[in-house]
């Protein structure tokens, strides 16, 4: 190899090594890394040259901007608010290079935008500046969408951004503020339908068919519990569930059971996820009664809600338990402005921070096992307004921890790492980025054993089966060890759990099921080296 090529090859290797070290080498399982931005609040943006990445570039400190992840794994940010005003710039962050690009916008606050002609893309189009609960979606071809939010008053305009052309399009809704919308007939799409102007709308989903959904939020005077679907092909909104009036109470029904009458109470700023089956989930949020910790699941096929867990009352303190411990009693405290919510590569849900009622900040990180309805405390503090610990930028450390905050946004990369940007802490708004690497050994979600019966040992017995009043479990134990026994119903809800130390010999346990409902249940027994699964039928 001649010297010019050798020199070029060496430089490529050095660049690749530095790039790897810059954002990956110091990320350890179960630890946070502060990777970009400032450790002090209320910082101005460093815009650089529009369209050009630079390590020095970063958005200003922001509370509740819009966020998306594109099909190539880049993170996007629009709008947000801080002490200077409401912003209207579009930013892109590359998690591999750890660099921001100022993509679009004029770099001023309270920008009125430029609507152009409805339905027509243009380089000069741009949404008005906005923040605080703007709903966002990504469509099947990677376009970025947003709806609503607040400048001075609430909006209900719908916008699309095409990454390939760098153009915004005003798609639907008025270019005015505080519009009352038009609900139409529940369940019936109509070109004239439009959700009312709103802000603090934390929940927006893209379903498996590519339609967009939004839930609740706030008008200028009260809160909402309406559920809407938007169909891109026909440009039509459909009011699907909930009330057209504000301040509606929830209808909880029976825990874990879908019912046409069920609906979450009116609320703002709640966390949201979508499971692998396409069901839409929401957690928490706030209204005049307090900050909630209830979990809801919406089935798009049946158009029904089910209350899955948590409390009916607001301002619940919650139970953290022990980090990494699977305990059905665990539940996060009631909270709102907790938009930092992710779905991991196994389909489980993650939640970080938010405000408790009265504006107290949190920095706790939770994982929710959606098939077994178990919350697992992963990281952070169980106390309010924790100061966090920054450590050294780019260096992973077990002591690192973001300070408590609400109104931050989050993304995940292709490797499943969690990212947090900005939000409002005790001293003010942040512009920092934190990266968290999941620890696969911290609170492993139970295997969803409700589909196939798997017997790992011929001498593992359940009798009688079917059972009416009780059944017995028996199996041999070769030594002294801890046994975990869990039973789930067909909804994946844990209905029985017990831990105990067993000794060498034959283990036997009798479980009373006189008050259990008839049906199929799934038994899981876990020990050091063994996992037994068994299907049980209860028939009175």
């Amino acid at each position: 190899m001649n010297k010019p090529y050798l020199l070029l090859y060496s430089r490529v290797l050095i660049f690749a090594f530095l790039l790897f070290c810059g954002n990956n080498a110091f990320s350890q399982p179960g630890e946070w890394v502060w990777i970009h931005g400032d450790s002090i609040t209320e910082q101005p943006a460093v815009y650089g040259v529009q369209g050009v990445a630079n390590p020095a570039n970063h958005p200003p400190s922001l509370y509740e901007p819009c966020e998306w992840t594109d099909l190539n794994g880049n993170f996007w940010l629009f709008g947000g608010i801080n002490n200077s005003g409401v912003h209207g710039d579009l930013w892109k962050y590359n998690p591999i290079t750890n660099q921001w690009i100022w993509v679009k916008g004029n770099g001023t606050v309270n920008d009125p935008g430029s609507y152009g002609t409805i339905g027509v893309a243009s380089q000069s189009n741009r949404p008005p500046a906005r923040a605080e609960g703007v709903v966002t979606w990504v469509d099947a071809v990677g376009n970025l969408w947003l709806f609503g939010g607040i400048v001075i008053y609430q909006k209900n305009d719908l916008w699309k951004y095409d990454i390939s052309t760098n153009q915004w399009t005003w798609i639907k809704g008025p270019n005015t503020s505080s519009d009352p919308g038009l609900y139409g007939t529940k369940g019936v799409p109509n070109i004239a339908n439009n959700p009312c102007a709103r802000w603090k709308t934390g929940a927006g989903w893209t379903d498996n068919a590519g339609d967009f959904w939004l839930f609740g939020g706030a008008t200028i005077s009260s809160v909402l519990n309406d559920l809407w679907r938007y169909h891109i092909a026909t440009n039509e909104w459909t009011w699907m569930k909930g009330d057209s009036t504000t301040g509606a109470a929830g209808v909880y029904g029976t825990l874990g059971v879908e019912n046409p009458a069920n609906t979450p109470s009116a609320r703002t700023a709640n966390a949201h996820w979508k499971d692998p089956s396409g069901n839409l989930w929401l957690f928490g949020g706030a209204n005049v009664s307090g900050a909630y910790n209830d979990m809801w699941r919406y089935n798009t096929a049946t158009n029904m809600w089910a209350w899955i867990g948590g409390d009916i009352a607001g301002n619940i303190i919650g139970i953290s338990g022990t980090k990494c411990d699977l305990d059905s009693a665990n539940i996060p405290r009631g909270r709102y402005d907790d938009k930092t919510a992710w779905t991991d590569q196994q389909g489980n849900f993650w939640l970080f921070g938010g405000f408790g009622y009265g504006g107290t900040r949190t920095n706790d990180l939770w994982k929710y096992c959606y098939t077994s309805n178990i919350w697992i405390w992963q990281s952070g503090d169980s106390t309010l307004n924790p100061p966090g610990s920054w450590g050294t930028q780019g260096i992973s450390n077990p002591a690192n921890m973001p300070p408590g905050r609400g109104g931050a946004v989050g993304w995940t990369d292709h490797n499943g790492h969690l990212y947090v940007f900005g939000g409002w802490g005790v001293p003010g708004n942040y512009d920092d980025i934190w990266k968290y690497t999941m620890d696969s050994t911290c609170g492993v979600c139970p295997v969803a054993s409700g589909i196939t019966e798997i017997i790992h040992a011929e001498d593992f017995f359940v009798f009688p089966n079917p059972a009416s009043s009780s059944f017995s479990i028996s199996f041999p134990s070769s030594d002294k060890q801890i046994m975990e026994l869990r039973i789930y119903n067909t909804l994946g809800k844990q209905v029985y759990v017990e831990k105990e130390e067993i000794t060498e010999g034959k283990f036997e346990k009798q479980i009373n099921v006189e008050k259990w409902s008839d049906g199929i249940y799934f038994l899981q027994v876990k020990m050091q080296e063994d996992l037994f699964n068994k299907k049980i039928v209860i028939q009175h």
Side-chain angles (χ1 to χ4, degrees):
M1 184 179 293
N2 60 37
K3 289 184 178 179
Y5 283 113
L6 182 60
L7 180 61
L8 177 61
Y9 181 69
S10 300
R11 287 175 176 172
V12 169
L13 287 179
I14 292 170
F15 174 77
F17 175 76
L18 291 174
L19 188 62
F20 176 79
C21 291
N23 203 24
N24 292 290
F26 301 111
S27 180
Q28 301 298 322
E31 294 181 5
W32 286 99
V33 186
W34 166 39
I35 61 173
H36 207 293
D38 298 278
S39 60
I40 54 177
T41 58
E42 303 303 336
Q43 295 301 296
V46 176
Y47 285 90
V49 178
Q50 195 166 77
V52 179
N54 190 297
N57 292 353
H58 63 80
S61 301
L62 293 171
Y63 168 71
E64 284 206 343
C66 308
E67 85 286 349
W68 305 266
T69 303
D70 69 26
L71 300 184
N72 293 319
N74 298 302
F75 306 156
W76 293 76
L77 193 75
F78 174 81
I81 190 171
N82 59 23
N83 289 346
S84 300
V86 184
H87 294 257
D89 294 302
L90 182 67
W91 293 81
K92 180 173 74 171
Y93 173 79
N94 186 325
I96 297 175
T97 63
N98 191 25
Q99 293 184 4
W100 283 104
I101 301 174
W102 172 36
V103 176
K104 209 167 179 67
N106 59 15
T108 62
V109 296
N110 304 325
D111 177 33
S114 177
Y115 279 81
T117 303
I118 196 164
V120 179
S122 171
Q123 288 291 345
S124 61
N125 289 353
R126 63 186 188 278
R130 64 191 64 205
E132 300 208 42
V134 183
V135 189
T136 59
W137 308 274
V138 178
D139 66 25
V141 295
N143 297 310
L144 315 180
W145 295 69
L146 66 81
F147 171 88
I150 191 170
V151 181
I152 299 174
Y153 297 104
Q154 293 80 15
K155 309 290 289 186
N156 63 342
D157 48 349
L158 180 67
W159 288 81
K160 178 180 73 173
Y161 174 75
D162 187 322
I163 297 173
S164 63
T165 63
N166 191 27
Q167 292 181 339
W168 285 103
T169 306
W170 171 32
I171 298 293
K172 198 174 178 68
N175 58 5
T176 57
S177 299
S178 303
D179 181 76
L182 181 65
Y183 279 77
T185 303
K186 191 178 286 188
V188 179
N190 192 300
I191 196 67
N193 290 351
N194 210 58
C196 65
R198 64 191 66 203
W199 63 316
K200 292 291 186 183
T201 309
W205 306 267
T206 302
D207 70 18
N208 289 349
D211 291 336
F212 300 156
W213 296 75
L214 69 83
F215 170 84
T219 66
I220 194 169
S221 59
S222 191
V223 288
L224 300 156
N225 76 335
D226 49 348
L227 180 70
W228 288 82
R229 181 184 66 198
Y230 174 76
H231 187 54
I232 296 175
T234 61
N235 192 26
E236 290 179 320
W237 283 104
T238 307
W239 170 34
M240 298 296 295
K241 297 287 283 187
D243 298 88
S244 59
T245 55
T246 59
V251 177
Y252 282 76
T254 302
L255 192 67
V257 179
E258 293 181 2
N259 190 294
N262 291 351
T263 184
S265 59
R267 62 189 66 196
T268 67
N270 41 270
H272 65 285
W273 307 270
K274 185 178 74 172
D275 70 27
S277 299
N279 298 305
L280 314 180
W281 296 67
L282 66 83
F283 171 84
N287 58 30
V288 294
S289 298
Y292 286 84
N293 72 344
D294 50 345
M295 179 74 90
W296 289 81
R297 183 187 65 214
Y298 175 77
N299 187 331
T300 58
T302 63
N303 188 32
M304 289 193 288
W305 285 104
W307 168 41
I308 300 299
D311 297 273
I312 294 176
N315 298 334
I316 300 299
I317 294 175
I319 300 173
S320 296
T322 303
K323 285 179 182 176
C324 303
D325 188 36
L326 278 75
D327 190 330
S328 59
N330 291 348
I331 184 74
R333 70 172 62 243
R335 65 190 66 202
Y336 63 100
D337 280 8
D338 49 343
K339 292 185 64 177
T340 37
W342 311 267
T343 303
D344 67 22
Q345 294 173 337
Q346 289 72 47
N348 298 304
F349 309 150
W350 292 70
L351 175 71
F352 169 79
F355 293 135
Y357 200 63
T360 51
R361 279 73 165 175
T362 62
N363 74 344
D364 47 346
L365 179 68
W366 291 82
K367 178 169 69 173
Y368 177 76
C369 306
Y370 76 99
T371 61
S372 53
N373 193 23
I374 295 176
W375 285 99
I376 305 170
W377 179 26
Q378 298 280 312
S379 179
D381 298 276
S382 59
T383 56
L384 296 172
N385 298 322
S389 179
W390 297 84
T392 302
Q393 192 170 89
I395 305 298
S396 183
N397 190 299
N400 290 352
M401 197 67 59
R405 62 188 68 192
V409 296
W411 309 273
T412 54
D413 65 20
H414 286 162
N415 294 315
H417 301 111
L418 312 180
Y419 293 75
V420 172
F421 169 84
W424 186 14
V426 172
N429 297 295
Y430 287 104
D431 71 342
D432 53 347
I433 299 181
W434 289 80
K435 177 181 177 182
Y436 180 81
T437 299
M438 297 179 189
D439 182 356
S440 61
T441 66
C442 178
V444 180
C445 288
V447 176
S449 57
I451 303 301
T452 305
E453 179 179 340
I454 304 172
I455 308 283
H456 291 282
E458 293 181 357
D459 46 4
F460 176 69
F461 296 103
V462 175
F463 182 83
N465 190 13
S468 57
S469 59
S470 66
F471 63 84
S472 296
I473 303 165
S474 66
F475 56 87
S477 174
S478 58
D479 55 12
K480 186 177 180 179
Q481 57 184 311
I482 300 297
M483 185 262 317
E484 294 183 15
L485 190 157
R486 300 177 187 272
I487 300 175
Y488 303 90
N489 63 19
T490 54
L491 294 173
K493 178 177 174 58
Q494 182 176 281
V495 296
Y496 184 91
V497 60
E498 184 173 345
K499 284 185 182 181
E500 65 176 271
E501 186 176 76
I502 62 176
T503 57
E504 184 178 354
K506 185 177 182 180
F507 173 80
E508 292 185 309
K509 178 79 176 180
Q510 187 175 65
I511 298 175
N512 188 300
V513 295
E514 288 180 341
K515 296 182 179 180
W516 292 23
S517 300
D518 286 1
I520 297 173
Y521 295 81
F522 303 96
L523 168 71
Q524 181 183 88
V525 174
K526 183 179 180 181
M527 293 180 289
Q528 288 176 223
E529 298 179 356
D530 296 303
L531 179 68
F532 306 132
N533 295 276
K534 182 71 175 178
K535 181 165 65 178
I536 304 168
V537 178
I538 305 300
Q539 196 173 68
H540 294 101

